[in-house]
C-alpha cells in the first residue's frame, strides 16, 4: 500500500532551477498547466515528486467546470446541478478535507447496462464530488503522460477521437492495399486490471506519494451493488473519471511501448498498432510477422494479469481483392475477411467504377443493441405526448447519427431510422385497443424524427 508520508516534504529530482520553477504558483490554472508541460520537457523522463500542491480551490473550480453535470448521481444521490448551487462552499470544504487527510473516498454505485448477446457490463458511478476530485487529478497527470503516449493511441485523449482512429486504420489499409489484421480482445480488462502492476507503472513517472495514495484509494473503493457492499482487490470501475487515463497508462507500458520498442524492430515488414482504450487491432504486411506477434501476445499480457479472449482474438486476412481484369499468376491469397472495431465492421467494397475501398458499416451487434434500447424506451414512455416522445427520440437518434454517420455507412443509418419508426408506431398503437392508423401516421409525420445524414466531422481518411 502506498505510504502517504512518501509525498510529504517532497522535492523535484530534477536540477535546482527546475525545482524552483515547480514551486511557483502562477495565477491561473492554464498557466500552471503550461508550466507543468514545460517541466516535463526539461525533466527528460525523470519522475516527478511534487504534484499534489497544485490541487487547490482554483484547480478544483476548473475541474468542476470540466465535469459533466447531467451524469448519473452516485450513492449520495446528489446531482451536478445540486452540487453547483453552493459550489464555492462545497469546493472549499472539499479542499479542506483533501489537505487535512480527512477525505474518504465514497463507494461507487454499480449500474448494469446491456452489452449485447444477453450480457451486461457493470459501470461504477462515483459521487459528483468524487468526480470533481478525480478530474482534478486527471488534469494533473495528463501533461505528464501525453508527450509519452504513442500516436496509435486514440482513446480518451485530448483532441483525439474514435473517428480519428477509424480514419487512421482506413488510411493504413488503403495505402498498403490491405494486409493481415490481428483483432485482439482483452477479457474483462477493466475488471482484472492489477492494482499492484498499475501502481508500479505509475511510479516510473510519478513519485508523489500523496497523488499515488489518492489513486490507490480510488482503485480500492467499495462497490454498492444490489444493496450490498463489495470490496474490490483488482480492476478499476468503468464510469470513473480517472479510469480511462489509468487504462491508457497501463496499456501504454504493457502494449504500446513494448510493441514499438521490442516487437516492431524484429519484424520483416510494415506494421501498425491502432488502439482506442482496450480495443485495438494490429495491421501487418506479412503473415509470418502477424503469427509471431500473435504467439507472444498472451504471454506478454499474462505477465501483467491480463488474459486474451481465445475466441475473439483472431488473425484475419484482409488483402485488397484483385481487379476483375487480373490475369497474372495464380492468386493464392486467402479470401478477404472482415473484422470489427469501435462498433464498425470493416470490409472491402467495390464502387460502381470497379475500384476497391475499405467500407465501414455499423456492426450487427451494435445495431441490435441500439434498436433494443429504442424499443424498450418506446414501450416505457408510450403514454407520454407524441410531441415529447418525438423530442426525446430525436436526441437519441441524432446521437446515433453523429457517431455512426461516417462515409459509406448511410445504408445502415436508413435501416436504423426505419426500424426506429416502426418501433415507435408499434408502441404508440398499444396505447389504445382501437387504433386509427391514418390519424396515428399523420401525428407521427407531424412530429417527424431527424432524417439520416452523415456527420461532416466524422470524415474518412480515404473516400471512394
Amino acid at each position: 500500500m502506498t505510504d502517504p508520508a512518501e509525498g510529504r516534504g517532497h522535492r523535484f529530482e530534477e536540477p535546482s532551477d527546475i525545482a524552483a520553477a515547480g514551486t511557483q504558483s502562477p495565477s491561473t490554472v492554464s498557466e500552471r498547466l503550461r508550466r507543468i508541460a514545460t517541466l516535463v520537457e526539461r525533466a527528460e523522463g525523470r519522475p516527478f515528486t511534487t504534484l499534489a500542491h497544485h490541487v487547490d480551490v482554483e484547480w478544483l473550480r476548473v475541474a468542476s467546470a470540466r465535469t459533466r453535470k447531467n451524469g448519473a448521481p452516485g450513492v449520495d444521490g446528489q446531482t451536478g446541478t445540486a452540487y453547483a448551487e453552493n459550489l464555492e462552499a462545497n469546493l472549499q470544504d472539499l479542499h479542506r478535507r483533501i489537505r487535512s487527510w480527512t477525505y474518504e473516498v465514497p463507494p461507487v454505485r454499480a449500474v448494469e447496462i446491456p452489452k449485447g448477446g444477453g450480457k451486461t457490463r457493470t459501470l461504477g458511478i462515483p459521487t459528483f464530488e468524487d468526480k470533481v476530485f478525480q478530474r482534478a487529478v486527471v488534469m494533473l497527470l495528463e501533461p505528464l503522460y501525453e508527450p509519452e503516449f504513442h500516436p496509435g493511441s486514440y482513446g480518451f485523449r485530448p483532441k483525439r477521437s474514435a473517428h480519428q482512429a477509424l480514419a487512421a486504420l482506413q488510411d493504413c489499409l488503403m495505402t498498403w492495399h490491405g494486409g493481415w489484421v490481428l483483432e485482439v480482445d482483452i477479457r474483462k480488462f477493466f475488471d482484472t486490471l492489477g492494482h499492484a502492476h498499475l501502481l508500479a507503472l505509475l511510479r516510473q513517472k510519478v513519485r508523489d506519494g500523496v497523488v499515488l495514495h489518492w489513486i490507490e484509494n480510488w482503485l480500492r473503493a467499495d462497490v454498492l451493488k444490489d444493496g450490498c457492499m463489495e470490496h474490490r482487490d483488482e480492476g478499476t470501475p468503468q464510469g470513473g473519471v480517472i479510469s480511462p487515463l489509468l487504462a491508457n497508462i497501463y496499456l501504454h507500458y504493457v502494449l504500446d511501448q513494448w510493441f514499438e520498442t521490442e516487437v516492431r524492430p524484429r519484424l520483416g515488414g510494415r506494421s501498425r498498432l491502432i488502439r482506442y482504450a482496450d480495443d485495438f487491432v494490429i495491421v501487418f504486411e506479412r503473415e509470418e510477422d502477424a503469427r509471431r506477434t500473435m504467439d507472444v501476445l498472451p504471454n506478454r499480457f499474462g505477465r501483467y494479469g491480463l488474459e486474451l479472449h481465445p475466441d475473439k482474438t483472431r488473425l484475419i486476412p484482409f488483402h485488397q481483392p484483385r481487379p476483375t481484369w487480373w490475369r497474372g499468376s495464380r492468386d493464392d491469397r486467402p479470401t478477404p475477411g472482415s473484422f470489427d472495431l469501435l462498433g464498425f465492421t470493416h470490409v472491402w467494397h467495390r464502387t460502381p467504377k470497379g475500384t476497391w475501398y475499405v467500407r465501414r458499416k455499423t456492426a450487427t451487434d451494435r445495431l441490435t443493441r441500439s434498436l433494443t434500447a429504442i424499443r424498450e424506451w418506446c414501450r416505457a414512455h408510450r403514454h407520454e405526448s407524441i410531441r415529447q416522445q418525438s423530442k426525446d427520440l430525436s436526441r437519441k437518434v441524432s446521437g446515433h447519427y453523429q457517431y455512426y454517420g461516417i462515409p459509406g455507412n448511410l445504408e445502415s443509418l436508413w435501416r436504423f431510422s426505419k426500424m426506429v419508426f416502426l418501433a415507435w408506431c408499434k408502441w404508440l398503437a398499444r396505447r389504445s385497443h382501437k387504433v386509427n392508423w391514418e390519424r396515428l401516421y399523420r401525428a407521427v409525420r407531424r412530429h417527424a424524427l431527424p432524417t439520416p445524414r452523415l456527420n461532416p466531422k466524422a470524415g474518412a481518411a480515404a473516400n471512394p
Side-chain angles (χ1 to χ4, degrees):
M1 187 170 182
T2 304
D3 183 8
E6 180 183 332
R8 301 179 184 176
H10 43 291
R11 296 182 179 179
F12 270 96
E13 295 182 354
E14 289 78 33
S16 58
D17 59 332
I18 302 181
T23 60
Q24 297 177 8
S25 299
S27 58
T28 65
V29 171
S30 59
E31 290 176 356
R32 276 187 279 174
L33 288 171
R34 285 194 294 269
R35 179 62 59 86
I36 293 175
T38 301
L39 293 177
V40 170
E41 294 179 0
R42 300 171 62 183
E44 298 180 350
R46 286 170 288 182
F48 283 75
T49 58
T50 55
L51 293 169
H53 66 281
H54 287 290
V55 183
D56 55 14
V57 175
E58 183 182 3
W59 194 279
L60 292 172
R61 190 180 299 114
V62 175
S64 174
R66 297 183 181 183
T67 304
R68 189 160 61 96
K69 304 297 188 296
N70 59 348
V75 294
D76 60 354
Q78 187 179 44
T79 63
T81 304
Y83 190 86
E85 291 177 355
N86 196 16
L87 180 62
E88 197 60 32
N90 288 332
L91 294 181
Q92 292 283 352
D93 180 62
L94 173 60
H95 181 251
R96 178 189 58 79
R97 284 178 285 140
I98 292 173
R99 294 298 299 270
S100 62
W101 293 80
T102 58
Y103 179 82
E104 297 183 2
V105 175
V108 297
R109 182 171 65 89
V111 177
E112 299 290 337
I113 62 172
K115 187 179 179 181
K119 299 180 180 180
T120 60
R121 174 186 288 113
T122 303
L123 294 184
I125 310 299
T127 64
F128 183 80
E129 183 177 67
D130 204 46
K131 292 179 183 178
V132 172
F133 191 9
Q134 290 187 31
R135 177 63 63 189
V137 177
V138 169
M139 291 166 51
L140 199 63
L141 296 180
E142 274 185 346
L144 275 65
Y145 286 97
E146 272 301 313
E148 289 196 359
F149 286 159
H150 290 277
S153 171
Y154 290 88
F156 305 101
R157 294 180 58 189
K159 299 180 180 180
R160 287 183 167 239
S161 67
H163 289 146
Q164 291 178 342
L166 292 167
L169 176 59
Q170 187 195 44
D171 181 66
C172 173
L173 293 170
M174 293 285 289
T175 302
W176 297 1
H177 303 288
W180 293 85
V181 177
L182 181 57
E183 183 182 15
V184 184
D185 182 86
I186 306 176
R187 175 177 283 175
K188 297 182 178 180
F189 170 72
F190 284 92
D191 295 332
T192 59
L193 187 148
H195 295 175
H197 290 301
L198 175 59
L199 292 171
L201 295 173
L202 281 168
R203 289 190 184 95
Q204 296 184 25
K205 193 72 176 178
V206 179
R207 296 286 178 82
D208 189 327
V210 178
V211 175
L212 293 174
H213 176 72
W214 294 339
I215 294 174
E216 187 171 10
N217 284 346
W218 282 318
L219 291 174
R220 298 183 181 277
D222 293 334
V223 178
L224 181 62
K225 185 176 182 179
D226 298 329
C228 300
M229 201 71 71
E230 298 179 1
H231 183 69
R232 187 176 63 246
D233 294 321
E234 61 180 5
T236 177
Q238 289 182 264
V241 174
I242 200 171
S243 296
L245 177 60
L246 296 180
N248 270 338
I249 294 172
Y250 201 85
L251 289 177
H252 167 73
Y253 290 107
V254 175
L255 175 64
D256 301 353
Q257 187 168 296
W258 168 76
F259 181 79
E260 295 294 335
T261 59
E262 297 187 31
V263 177
R264 188 195 291 273
R266 293 179 170 87
L267 302 180
R270 293 178 294 181
S271 62
R272 178 127 185 225
L273 167 66
I274 294 179
R275 179 176 65 83
Y276 189 93
D278 61 324
D279 295 327
F280 69 95
V281 297
I282 310 177
V283 183
F284 298 90
E285 189 176 24
R286 299 184 179 182
E287 180 182 4
E288 57 270 23
D289 291 339
R291 295 199 178 278
R292 287 171 55 197
T293 305
M294 188 177 182
D295 291 339
V296 299
L297 268 181
N299 293 333
R300 174 64 182 180
F301 280 91
R303 288 177 53 188
Y304 292 89
L306 301 176
E307 181 183 359
L308 301 185
H309 198 293
D311 299 326
K312 297 181 180 180
T313 299
R314 59 198 183 105
L315 185 61
I316 302 104
F318 199 76
H319 295 90
Q320 178 178 319
R322 297 293 192 189
T324 55
W325 49 263
W326 180 261
R327 293 293 183 271
S329 58
R330 185 175 62 89
D331 186 9
D332 56 356
R333 298 184 308 183
T335 303
S338 63
F339 65 94
D340 292 350
L341 181 68
L342 300 177
F344 291 91
T345 298
H346 296 68
V347 296
W348 281 105
H349 185 79
R350 189 167 61 182
T351 68
K353 295 182 179 180
T355 59
W356 292 92
Y357 76 101
V358 178
R359 180 184 178 187
R360 291 83 51 85
K361 58 182 181 179
T362 308
T364 302
D365 60 335
R366 294 296 183 93
L367 185 61
T368 301
R369 186 192 310 176
S370 298
L371 290 173
T372 300
I374 291 291
R375 294 188 184 104
E376 289 297 321
W377 186 93
C378 290
R379 181 188 64 81
H381 296 80
R382 64 185 182 276
H383 293 297
E384 295 181 0
S385 67
I386 295 181
R387 179 187 298 273
Q388 184 60 42
Q389 289 189 51
S390 174
K391 183 179 179 181
D392 294 339
L393 270 178
S394 294
R395 285 198 295 266
K396 296 177 182 296
V397 170
S398 297
H400 184 91
Y401 297 160
Q402 185 176 7
Y403 181 74
Y404 290 101
I406 65 176
N409 196 38
L410 193 57
E411 181 181 342
S412 295
L413 298 188
W414 277 108
R415 180 185 175 192
F416 174 78
S417 175
K418 178 182 178 181
M419 299 302 292
V420 169
F421 177 80
L422 293 176
W424 190 24
C425 290
K426 170 187 173 180
W427 287 107
L428 285 176
R430 296 288 182 91
R431 303 201 298 186
S432 174
H433 294 291
K434 296 181 179 180
V435 182
N436 186 328
W437 287 101
E438 183 178 352
R439 181 181 177 185
L440 175 61
Y441 278 116
R442 283 203 308 267
V444 170
R445 291 192 187 99
R446 191 163 54 249
H447 302 283
L449 300 178
T451 303
R453 60 180 180 179
L454 301 181
N455 180 5
K457 296 182 179 179
N463 292 320

